[in-house]
Amino acid sequence: MEQRRLGSTDLDVTEVGLGTWNIGSDWGEVSSEEARTAVRTALEEGVTFLDTADVYGDGASEQYIADVLEEWDDSEDVTVATKVGRRIDPHEAAGYTAETLEEHVDRSRENLGADTLDLVQLHCPPTPAYYQPRVFDAMEALVEDGKIDYVGVSVEKVEEALKAIEYPCVETIQIIFNPLRQRPAELFFEEAKRRDIGVIVRVPLASGLLTGALSAETEFDESDHRNFNREGEAFDRGETFSGLPFERGLEAVDRIEDHVPAGMTTAQFSLRWILDHDAVSTVIPGSSSPEHIRDNVAVSSLDSLSNQTHGAVRDVYERTVYEHVHQQW
């Protein structure tokens, strides 16, 4: 699989990675064996970038990765990125103290069985935290102490991304970007390239909308965020269906599917569309299905989409989606 440099770090990662929110929590029931099989399948297919967080299953996702890597011969070639901060309760900027962040990092080090973590990202901090240099000073201190190699931030909004990259210690930004959430391709991608920031694209399939497998009749498990977070009841609304009303999302996907080339799935089309943006370092679709993971990895070998196709996707976005999401995130 093709690799890309992760910003100004010394890490080369596969352009298709694996996100592990799906196997940790909030996506319905997934057994521990299914979770480990998903991680193992990704590695077998050549993936060298795994993304996780300390809140995915309260550390379970991190532990699944550690279990698989312990038996993996080439584990030193795998980059594991985790996230901390969302366990702060209440989740407010005041809780992002140096002591708390170090405690969370130490817990992730234990879960992942690593003395030094490859990349630790602040996990969608409240907006005021971006304006408190002490938060980023605390992360930089953890690098100096040898507990982490690199610092990143997972953000909800473009404005937060632009603020985060003003801090010298921030090497990567993780952000939602897909055919239904196109705003990052404007100013943020330009700034990321200028500053040599690694861009990790999360929620690339809009919570399954961009797989083409959902319909108005689809029912979701009680433990699935697509059931309980449509209006942002549990966390930011933009995490679920990219912030779109479900019915409007289905309409947009139906229009996008008119432009999917023969032999390519809607999911593959969406991932290829993302990778065609050269500011992107890696995209991290999540799945507990080995078949879907293999299909996702195959995108790396597909040809780029035509300019005409990219224009058509932009047209769908502007006519169907723009008013609902563009200025929100």
Side-chain angles (χ1 to χ4, degrees):
M1 183 161 40
E2 295 295 324
Q3 295 201 335
R4 301 186 183 187
R5 178 58 60 95
L6 190 59
S8 59
T9 74
D10 65 356
L11 301 172
D12 289 317
V13 299
T14 46
E15 60 184 13
V16 178
L18 178 72
T20 61
W21 183 17
N22 301 59
I23 64 173
S25 58
D26 299 330
W27 289 83
E29 295 298 323
V30 177
S31 71
S32 58
E33 188 49 43
E34 287 176 312
R36 294 187 186 94
T37 296
V39 175
R40 193 176 298 112
T41 299
L43 296 179
E44 289 170 350
E45 294 300 311
V47 168
T48 65
F49 186 77
L50 306 176
D51 180 80
T52 186
D54 62 357
V55 291
Y56 296 167
D58 194 25
S61 177
E62 292 178 323
Q63 293 167 5
Y64 295 144
I65 289 173
D67 291 344
V68 174
L69 288 180
E70 186 176 9
E71 64 186 36
W72 191 253
D73 290 339
D74 298 321
S75 59
E76 68 277 2
D77 297 328
V78 179
T79 297
V80 179
T82 193
K83 299 183 284 292
V84 300
R86 288 307 294 261
R87 293 175 55 241
I88 294 170
D89 187 18
H91 190 230
E92 298 173 350
Y96 278 71
T97 66
E99 294 77 15
T100 297
L101 291 171
E102 183 171 23
E103 174 189 323
H104 289 192
V105 166
D106 285 343
R107 182 175 183 261
S108 290
R109 289 167 64 219
E110 181 178 354
N111 286 341
L112 286 164
D115 292 332
T116 303
L117 299 175
D118 298 329
L119 171 64
V120 176
Q121 305 152 100
L122 295 174
H123 197 171
C124 299
T127 301
Y130 293 88
Y131 295 86
Q132 299 183 12
R134 62 172 180 81
V135 174
F136 298 88
D137 290 343
M139 296 301 289
E140 191 166 12
L142 292 170
V143 174
E144 293 170 354
D145 290 344
K147 293 190 174 184
I148 62 181
D149 280 335
Y150 298 108
V151 174
V153 186
S154 182
V155 305
E156 297 289 2
K157 301 178 179 182
V158 165
E159 289 80 2
E160 294 169 344
L162 291 169
K163 183 61 182 177
I165 62 177
E166 292 182 5
Y167 294 96
C169 68
V170 174
E171 305 268 13
T172 67
I173 292 293
Q174 186 171 143
I175 194 166
I176 297 174
F177 177 63
N178 59 54
L180 306 180
R181 280 277 290 273
Q182 297 190 25
R183 189 180 180 198
E186 298 175 353
L187 178 59
F188 170 64
F189 276 10
E190 293 176 9
E191 279 298 296
K193 288 176 65 177
R194 188 174 73 85
R195 296 172 182 260
D196 202 10
I197 298 293
V199 176
I200 302 164
V201 172
R202 65 189 180 94
V203 196
L205 300 179
S207 307
L209 273 175
L210 287 164
T211 64
L214 305 184
S215 71
E217 289 71 43
T218 302
E219 296 183 0
F220 302 100
D221 188 88
E222 288 185 5
S223 63
D224 192 319
H225 72 99
R226 294 172 293 182
N227 179 41
F228 65 75
N229 191 59
R230 292 194 185 188
E231 298 302 323
E233 298 93 328
F235 38 82
D236 191 272
R237 182 168 60 88
E239 301 280 351
T240 302
F241 301 131
S242 290
L244 277 171
F246 184 50
E247 294 73 16
R248 179 53 62 95
L250 291 174
E251 178 185 347
V253 171
D254 186 56
R255 296 186 181 191
I256 286 171
E257 287 182 326
D258 291 339
H259 305 285
V260 177
M264 187 183 293
T265 68
T266 306
Q268 289 176 323
F269 175 86
S270 301
L271 296 176
R272 186 64 259 173
W273 181 91
I274 292 167
L275 289 175
D276 284 350
H277 293 79
D278 59 6
V280 172
S281 305
T282 184
V283 59
I284 51 170
S287 179
S288 59
S289 162
E291 178 184 0
H292 291 166
I293 292 169
R294 294 186 187 101
D295 286 347
N296 293 341
V297 167
V299 171
S300 182
S301 62
L302 297 178
D303 292 337
S304 295
L305 303 174
S306 67
N307 290 336
Q308 181 180 8
T309 300
H310 276 276
V313 172
R314 180 69 187 187
D315 286 346
V316 172
Y317 177 75
E318 291 180 348
R319 295 174 181 176
T320 313
V321 174
Y322 185 100
E323 65 179 306
H324 296 278
V325 301
H326 195 78
Q327 299 302 337
Q328 299 296 317
W329 294 279

